[in-house]
Amino acid sequence: MRPMNALVIARFSLLDRLIWSGIAYKMFEALTSVCDEVHRCDSLGYPRGITIGFENRLLALVGRSPYWRPRSTAYHARQLKHRLRSFPDNWNIAFCIDSLVLPGAIKTSKPLIYFSDGTKAQLVELQYPGYAGISARNLRELMKFEREAYAHCDLIVFGSKWAADSAIHQYGVSPDKVRSIAFGANLDKVPDRERVLENRRREQSTCELLFLGVDWERKGGELAISVVETLNRLGLKARLTVCGIVPASVSPYIRVVPFLNKHEAKDQARLSQLLDEATFLFLPTRGDCSPIVFCEAFAHGLPVVTCAVGGVPEIVTDGVNGIVRDRSTPADEFADIIAGLFRDTCTYAQFCEAARGAYDQTFNWGRWASEVHTLSNSVLMQR
């Protein structure tokens, strides 16, 4: 087996665990664990004169996605060329993490593997921030640019089959170049399995719903409030803990925990406490690709109640480790399901065990790293 000396590239800082829900940070950490040597080429910045906030708003007004500008693409190509001069040339494979402008910018004959959680066409379909309301012409431009970027890659690895299928069927990428490997949890300390399951067997007088997210509307915040209020009207004592954002809506059944910074040990400990205290992670998301927070919930043996969007059904298996319903499901139906499962302690315990089992077997970065390492060696052997 050849030594794997990797160049890992990204527009943003790979050491910032707040970017992309911490996925890039954990990917870089995982790659470091399986590579013989790693060179980090990140934080490429933006061209002088671009005022990101103002230009993003202006582009949105005219129906264009702010996340791709030809000017920025050319700038990143120059930055990458300049930065590579400072790296030793002993790397034999490049990994590009969710920075679509870079595959075409890196001029190399060495193999390149690209990681992401979805295609641009899917983000438009989900009405994702920055992609909602863009024009048909801009979408065609984005997809053309994306096809060109994919053409420079030896392998494209997504976090779900849902995303991989889009690359194959919407972009015409050869199935031989596309793979899907589930993401893991953005946790430094994974709780002990036996402690987790023992905690789940405790008697609960209150149904504790946990809402984790910084995008209130997209994550279904108003529906979450309606559900907790319905549960209390039905006679089940319930509380919704909202962590990550302060909602505009007010309810006696809400507890608000401000944004937690995973760079801070005390905030990581507080997050773990919230996951331990919760009965369900309730995130009736309107639009998501592969939410990393579900993996974090599973690590704590916490069942998830959510909606069938994007790659979500590949993480949460309805009736096994959580509940998955259509986005149109009303609050009273969600409330009935949650109440029934809360009162059925035997079935609830089975859900908790299945949730932790899903983390142990699939949704962890050790497994992701191992599979990426195998794929990468296969790519290197073909060269």
Side-chain angles (χ1 to χ4, degrees):
M1 189 176 295
R2 295 172 59 184
M4 191 176 299
N5 299 327
L7 176 72
V8 186
I9 57 178
R11 273 184 306 105
F12 41 78
S13 171
L14 292 170
L15 302 183
D16 189 341
R17 61 191 311 158
L18 302 182
I19 291 176
W20 194 25
S21 300
I23 296 173
Y25 173 90
K26 297 302 286 188
M27 276 186 178
F28 179 68
E29 184 180 70
L31 291 171
T32 300
S33 72
V34 295
C35 293
D36 297 282
E37 191 173 339
V38 172
H39 305 289
R40 175 168 56 90
C41 184
D42 60 351
S43 301
L44 296 176
Y46 287 92
R48 186 175 299 173
I50 280 191
T51 307
I52 299 300
F54 172 75
E55 291 196 9
N56 283 359
R57 290 190 293 272
L58 184 61
L59 287 168
L61 286 174
V62 297
R64 297 184 65 83
S65 172
Y67 293 119
W68 173 63
R69 302 175 177 86
R71 181 182 170 197
S72 295
T73 301
Y75 174 81
H76 286 128
R78 291 194 301 272
Q79 285 292 101
L80 191 56
K81 182 179 179 180
H82 173 73
R83 291 278 295 278
L84 288 181
R85 292 175 185 153
S86 64
F87 289 100
D89 196 38
N90 67 331
W91 58 273
N92 56 6
I93 191 167
F95 297 112
C96 181
I97 298 182
D98 198 49
S99 298
L100 199 58
V101 297
L102 299 181
I106 180 170
K107 306 300 181 184
T108 180
S109 59
K110 298 174 184 179
L112 171 63
I113 298 179
Y114 178 74
F115 302 111
S116 189
D117 62 348
T119 66
K120 303 302 182 189
Q122 291 178 313
L123 296 181
V124 172
E125 290 169 6
L126 290 173
Q127 295 291 284
Y128 218 77
Y131 296 92
I134 73 168
S135 67
R137 177 181 176 182
N138 189 209
L139 176 57
R140 288 194 298 271
E141 291 173 342
L142 283 170
M143 291 182 70
K144 179 177 181 293
F145 172 71
E146 195 167 8
R147 286 191 190 94
E148 292 170 352
Y150 290 157
H152 289 278
C153 302
D154 291 77
L155 201 63
I156 307 153
V157 181
F158 292 102
S160 66
K161 186 176 182 296
W162 165 78
D165 286 345
S166 173
I168 295 168
H169 300 300
Q170 292 183 276
Y171 289 78
V173 181
S174 169
D176 294 337
K177 284 183 61 171
V178 183
R179 297 290 186 277
S180 64
I181 307 176
F183 295 153
N186 184 11
L187 298 173
D188 284 346
K189 295 181 180 179
V190 177
D192 176 74
R193 175 185 172 85
E194 292 308 314
R195 183 189 74 77
V196 161
L197 296 181
E198 178 64 29
N199 174 58
R200 292 294 159 206
R201 288 190 284 269
R202 73 189 189 279
E203 185 176 343
Q204 301 179 67
S205 59
T206 301
C207 183
E208 296 282 359
L209 305 180
L210 177 61
F211 180 99
L212 286 174
V214 297
D215 191 328
W216 181 250
E217 183 176 348
R218 180 167 62 87
K219 298 291 186 177
E222 291 301 323
L223 178 58
I225 289 179
S226 296
V227 169
V228 74
E229 290 179 340
T230 302
L231 285 169
N232 280 279
R233 282 199 302 271
L234 292 173
L236 177 64
K237 187 179 179 182
R239 178 174 65 170
L240 176 69
T241 297
V242 177
C243 178
I245 191 171
V246 178
S249 303
V250 177
S251 171
Y253 308 115
I254 297 180
R255 172 179 61 163
V256 176
V257 176
F259 177 79
L260 297 176
N261 186 341
K262 287 184 177 178
H263 287 288
E264 302 290 338
K266 62 179 178 59
D267 283 1
Q268 287 193 46
R270 179 64 170 138
L271 174 61
S272 292
Q273 181 185 22
L274 292 176
L275 289 165
D276 282 340
E277 290 174 352
T279 312
F280 299 99
L281 177 69
F282 184 40
L283 206 66
T285 178
R286 314 286 88 190
D288 259 308
C289 295
S290 298
I292 204 80
V293 68
F294 295 164
C295 308
E296 295 168 359
F298 287 168
H300 285 260
L302 181 63
V304 176
V305 181
T306 186
C307 295
V309 297
V312 166
E314 296 178 48
I315 305 173
V316 185
T317 303
D318 183 49
V320 177
N321 53 30
I323 300 296
V324 184
R325 290 293 181 270
D326 187 80
R327 281 184 295 187
S328 62
T329 302
D332 57 352
E333 185 173 333
F334 269 119
D336 286 340
I337 294 169
I338 290 170
L341 191 52
F342 177 77
R343 290 169 175 142
D344 185 348
T345 55
C346 180
T347 302
Y348 177 75
Q350 292 171 359
F351 271 56
C352 296
E353 188 163 348
R356 178 57 193 235
Y359 170 80
D360 290 334
Q361 297 162 24
T362 304
F363 301 103
N364 63 80
W365 288 111
R367 177 181 180 270
W368 184 91
S370 177
E371 293 199 27
V372 167
H373 186 255
T374 299
L375 287 174
S376 302
N377 272 307
S378 177
V379 170
L380 284 170
M381 288 175 63
Q382 295 170 18
R383 289 299 185 104

